[in-house]
Amino acid sequence: GVRWVGNEKGHAADTTWETFTPEGIDGGAPGPGSMDYTTSPTGTRNGKYWIPAECDVPLRPGWFWHKGEQPKTPEELFDIYIHSVGRAGNMDLGLAPGTTGQLSDADVKSLKGFGRILKNTFAENLAEDADFKPSNVRGNDPKDFGIQKLVDGDRYSYWATDDSVHTPSLEVDLKAPQTFDIIQLRENIKLGQRIGSVAVDVWKEGKWQEVATATGIGANRLIRLPQPVTTEKVRLRVTDAPVCIALSDFGLYKYVAGE
């Protein structure tokens, strides 16, 4: 199942746990319509159930069609995608047909533009052919747990570390300068949501410079940088995890407009 994220903006919290422990109002039993939604945006770290966030939001200003209103732009929809799907949530976009029973031309145009942004932006992983240098590989076994699992297209293959290594690092040599503004990380959620926080550095002016941090990775974490960066080398640092990691995907992407 899913939990209501606690707002109708389509945004999950910056730190989102996919586990959740439902709590009722005033100590009562939890149930539909009688829930304490205080922790819905974030979820519950080590919660009792696996219940990701449902990030609901209408395409238009409200849930129903009204003459004269305009839908959200493709760029606004992509921003919502980053803050919902990109925070391990589910993007639930509400569509409202007009008086003819069909979606308006403006709504269709916006949706198509949003689709083009998704298709074009994630068409090429700029790290796919990179050389990866991990600080640790589980059992020194690159065949089963090595870094090639990060770009093999298999959702549930993964780079893992030894049980005693909770905060590894990964250097990514792109072989040539690449420009990107979106970083993707995904865990093998069959083994739970393990990583608490990460930091990302780029090699610039002869030294590592931090450009991003993130918390709560889970099924999918998209980190959108405020400005594109160009570099030949990237470093991922896991800065908090209670156990060894199981990271399934690493990607670098450049935003491409929908038009």
Side-chain angles (χ1 to χ4, degrees), residues 23-175:
E23 295 183 7
I25 299 174
D26 297 328
S34 60
M35 283 280 299
D36 180 352
Y37 293 107
T38 305
T39 60
S40 288
T42 61
T44 313
R45 183 58 161 149
N46 299 319
K48 189 174 181 180
Y49 304 104
W50 188 272
I51 309 177
E54 175 206 18
C55 304
D56 60 323
V57 61
L59 175 62
R60 288 174 158 259
W63 292 104
F64 299 97
W65 182 89
H66 294 283
K67 185 177 180 180
E69 292 183 343
Q70 294 300 313
K72 294 176 174 62
T73 66
E75 290 74 19
E76 288 174 322
L77 292 176
F78 185 74
D79 182 71
I80 291 170
Y81 183 89
I82 292 289
H83 289 87
S84 56
V85 176
R87 290 180 175 174
N90 301 277
M91 181 177 174
D92 183 357
L93 184 61
L95 307 182
T99 54
T100 64
Q102 296 178 312
L103 296 178
S104 72
D105 291 342
D107 290 22
V108 172
K109 181 179 178 181
S110 180
L111 291 168
K112 285 183 176 179
F114 173 46
R116 285 193 293 269
I117 291 176
L118 289 177
K119 181 180 178 180
N120 296 338
T121 296
F122 295 105
E124 180 183 9
N125 181 359
L126 299 173
E128 185 173 0
D129 296 322
D131 289 333
F132 293 90
K133 183 181 178 181
S135 62
N136 178 267
V137 172
R138 186 174 185 83
N140 196 26
D141 183 357
K143 181 178 182 296
D144 288 336
F145 301 111
I147 42 74
Q148 75 278 2
K149 305 294 186 180
L150 296 174
V151 289
D152 66 357
D154 185 337
R155 179 66 186 85
Y156 297 109
S157 67
Y158 56 98
W159 164 45
T161 55
D162 290 324
D163 286 344
S164 60
V165 179
H166 300 178
T167 54
S169 63
L170 176 70
E171 291 187 18
V172 183
D173 184 352
L174 301 172
K175 302 178 184 178

